Amino acid sequence: MVLQSLKLPELIQEIRGAKTQAQEREVIQKECAHIRAAFREGDAPQRHRQLAKLLYVHMLGYPAHFGQMECLKLIASPRFTDKRVGYLGAMLLLDERQDAHLLITNSIKNDLSQGIQPVQGLALCTLSTMGSAEMCRDLASEVERLLLRPSPYIRKKAVLAAVHMIRKVPELSDIFLPPCTQLLHERHHGILLGTITLITELCEQSPAALTHFRQVVPQLVQILRTLVMSGYSAEHSVSGISDPFLQVQVLRLLRILGRNHEESSEAMNDMLAQVATNTDTSRNAGNAVLYETVLTIVDIRSASGLRVLAVNILGRFLLNSDKNIRYVALTSLLRLVQSDHSAVQRHRPTVVECLREPDASLSRRALELSLALVNSSNIRSMTQELQGFLVSCPVDLRADCASGILLAAERFAPTKRWHIDTIMQVLTTAGAHVRDDAVANLTQLIGGAEELHAYSVRQLYSALAADISQQPLVQVAAWCIGEYGDLLLSGSCEETEPLQVQEEEVLTLLENVLQSHLSLPATRGFALTALMKLSTRFQGDNNRIRQIVSIYGSCLDIELQQRAVEYNALFRKYDHMRSAVLEKMPLVEHGESQDDEPREGKEEPWNPNKEVQSHPEPPASNLLDLLDLLDSANGDAPPSPALDLTPEDSLLHLLDLPSTVPTLAPIPGLKVFDREGLQMNLSFVRPPETPALLLITATATNTSKSDVTHFVCQAAVPKSFQLQLQIPSGNTVPAQGGPPITQVLRVFNPSKAPLRMRLRLTYNHFGQSVQETFEVKDFPLETWQ
Amino acid sequence: MILSYLKFVYKRYSSSYFGCSVENQDNELLAVEIIHRYVELLDKYFGNVCEPDIIFNFEKADFILDEFILGGEIQETSKNLPLSLFLMHLQSLPAT
């Protein structure tokens, strides 16, 4: 069944009428089949219609590459309608990546030299749109010839074709440079515009051209003057501005020419001022010209008065009701704020107004600009505004706003108290979005402000009592309460209303923090440590604290568990040291590595590689870090075997953490069994912190020709010892020195009695099952003394 | 809307959007003007242009554009010239 091929309008209608994607695809596929058939048949008169249909289909996104050769044929045809569609097809379907595009070079060449204007126009158009570098090189001379033709239509197109060529092949700029000066004298706006674009392109590409064209600055100024002064030309004006497109282009060229060049800049100063003041700004066209003027003024070496004028114009833009203009103004002001700071400052109130914009991109730019405008004189009011913004702003801007406020506060804070207040407020409103080091910064700040301890702890306590969900705030508050809890209870502070706080209330609050499901593990750590510190600060009974701490001894979170167990130990065995351990922290210098000596009598330096800024952490975390050091075996300073270390390390042992245990001088190993190539060796390790413990590693190796399988080792020791066997690494030792089996035996020998052990080995070797029992008596002295 | 190296400017006319992308250093307000001028041209040719007009005559819309903008730069700033040129070509000679 052969369907009649559709005409273009019908095709379009059918495609638009298709209700589903599948239907659309069907229609298109059918039609494409027709088109392909038509192309094959070579039906000349209808070809352009077929191609038009194909182009439509291509615009919708369907593959249309089979039309490329048809484009070529159509371009070569003498009929204008054919050529038109052919060139259109070439522009849409053929680009640099297609192999076929070079084939049209010849056609274009022929068409360019024909002398029929519309045809030449088409050819130039196509060349400008998709001309590749090779094509440009081939056709450069043709285009140059056309630049001098009498017809303005052709010249206009030729100039723009030249622009494209220069962009593709910069070397061609030599060819096109000379005609420019002459073309500048044109009156025809189109040619003028093209010429200016060409000159702009030339100047952007080569500094030599730039110097060459500086001499035309007066001419350009003249053009601009004519445009602005000569008044109304109905044909070219847009809402009262005469030819804004040309004006903007001239301004751009002036900008490039005047950049970094005193003389040229001076020549244009007056004109720029005139344009800036005379342009009507009620419509967008005027604003466009004004915007370009501002950009130019800013870029060249203009007089300072002119620059102020420019900034003022931008300020006026900010008040405009059109959002686009405000957007443009904010972006430009952002660029200017570094260089013309004081001028921009004058518009600060307007900028701050823009913070309240409902539009997200505007408020973001306003935020950036406001942050850039903060200085020591306006810090208080700006911070207030910014904090107001923080409360209402969209979520994605919160982080930026919060960190901006904090940074500004850091740089310009008038008083420490204000600073602390500000940070607290930011934490309360946007706690979840602040950067991680905000907490550390605040704790350090508070720590450093001696006179404000009482004040800060009170404020933080009230904030905490109100809301325990904002994590950074809770962390800081917990730390503070822990450090300065006694000040909290003393009840007198001039700066805030007297706040009577009972010990029990404080403890309840901290307990709530611990138990709340909103608290992060880190926060819980803070709270737990704070509780511990309070045990020395508060005069009352410590039972409650001890209770809480011991509950957490069995917490699932390893870190909390460690801390709790350590604190328990502090209560139980080392009560006498508790107050020393939990003393108030001295002030830490920002970013230095810190010695723990004054606090805990350890010789552990901070590992400076751990954090860029080492911040004070609650003292107990040092214990934790010590354990971490042991855990990760970083190669950090090994713990010197001082008495303080013992409790933590025995805890280490009790908790059975997978730590690498530092060894003393190696104890000699012992070979206990050797039969038919199967050997068993014992090696010994005695961790120095646990003198009663001996770790034996039994290694079974096989040098015979047959594998040893089903290998099981059992051991027994006298009653005064305790023995634990761990799981062996395997139960097969392959022949000829294959990987051995290792098994760890833990012997606990508190009474330091001479060690004896009976071992039984069962295995299969050489096809036989073997059982061997033997006693090992001659353990080295070091293993049990 | 801004990409890293391109800006996208659009203008809305009741139900349709006309957009163009410009380089970073180009004047966005001017881009809006360009869009408006092009729509004006189409309006003049089709007489109160509406969306189906453009769809069914897409190749003509393209030709008008070719008279207004060439190779990415504005070619003709006069209001009437592009259109008159285009109309001239419509009736143009079919053969050499």
Side-chain angles (χ1 to χ4, degrees), chain A residues 154-372:
Chain A
I154 296 300
R155 262 186 297 169
K156 164 181 82 177
K157 290 200 196 269
V159 169
L160 286 176
V163 171
H164 177 86
M165 288 181 154
I166 294 182
R167 281 196 187 132
K168 284 285 176 187
V169 187
E171 295 86 43
L172 291 173
S173 35
D174 302 325
I175 310 183
F176 292 116
L177 205 144
C180 286
T181 2
Q182 192 198 346
L183 283 168
L184 261 186
H185 293 284
E186 292 283 339
R187 312 225 67 199
H188 187 258
H189 281 224
I191 303 183
L192 210 45
L193 189 54
T195 313
I196 294 181
T197 318
L198 181 58
I199 299 180
T200 315
E201 198 61 38
L202 284 170
C203 292
E204 271 175 3
Q205 284 200 357
S206 98
L210 189 60
T211 354
H212 171 83
F213 280 114
R214 287 234 169 84
Q215 50 185 298
V216 305
V217 169
Q219 216 175 342
L220 292 170
V221 173
Q222 183 59 32
I223 296 175
L224 203 49
R225 187 170 294 137
T226 337
L227 279 176
V228 173
M229 308 294 277
S230 63
Y232 200 65
S233 148
E235 199 172 303
H236 291 280
S237 66
V238 178
S239 30
I241 315 282
S242 40
D243 210 343
F245 305 112
L246 187 55
Q247 284 194 36
V248 165
Q249 205 68 6
V250 172
L251 285 167
R252 261 179 80 179
L253 182 54
L254 285 176
R255 180 157 83 232
I256 298 179
L257 290 176
R259 203 177 275 158
N260 286 331
H261 195 243
E262 281 292 338
E263 208 184 298
S264 315
S265 312
E266 247 172 284
M268 358 174 159
N269 269 334
D270 290 331
M271 196 58 232
L272 290 172
Q274 203 169 11
V275 174
T277 37
N278 283 351
T279 315
D280 174 24
T281 55
S282 54
R283 305 296 295 272
N284 187 44
N287 285 326
V289 174
L290 217 46
Y291 178 45
E292 196 69 33
T293 321
V294 166
L295 287 179
T296 305
I297 293 178
V298 164
D299 244 351
I300 66 173
R301 296 266 182 85
S302 48
S304 61
L306 208 51
R307 290 182 90 91
V308 173
L309 178 62
V311 175
N312 285 346
I313 294 179
L314 287 177
R316 251 191 303 150
F317 273 1
L318 276 181
L319 297 166
N320 198 307
S321 52
D322 186 353
K323 280 207 192 120
N324 288 333
I325 298 191
R326 273 187 291 192
Y327 180 87
V328 152
L330 281 175
T331 328
S332 321
L333 280 174
L334 253 178
R335 271 194 286 177
L336 283 182
V337 77
Q338 297 303 329
S339 47
D340 294 273
H341 195 88
S342 44
V344 183
Q345 275 285 356
R346 233 174 286 151
H347 299 280
R348 190 171 54 82
T350 335
V351 173
V352 168
E353 273 297 314
C354 288
L355 272 178
R356 309 217 178 99
E357 283 288 335
D359 184 78
S361 51
L362 276 177
S363 52
R364 179 190 291 274
R365 296 240 152 32
L367 176 64
E368 271 180 52
L369 195 51
S370 314
L371 286 174

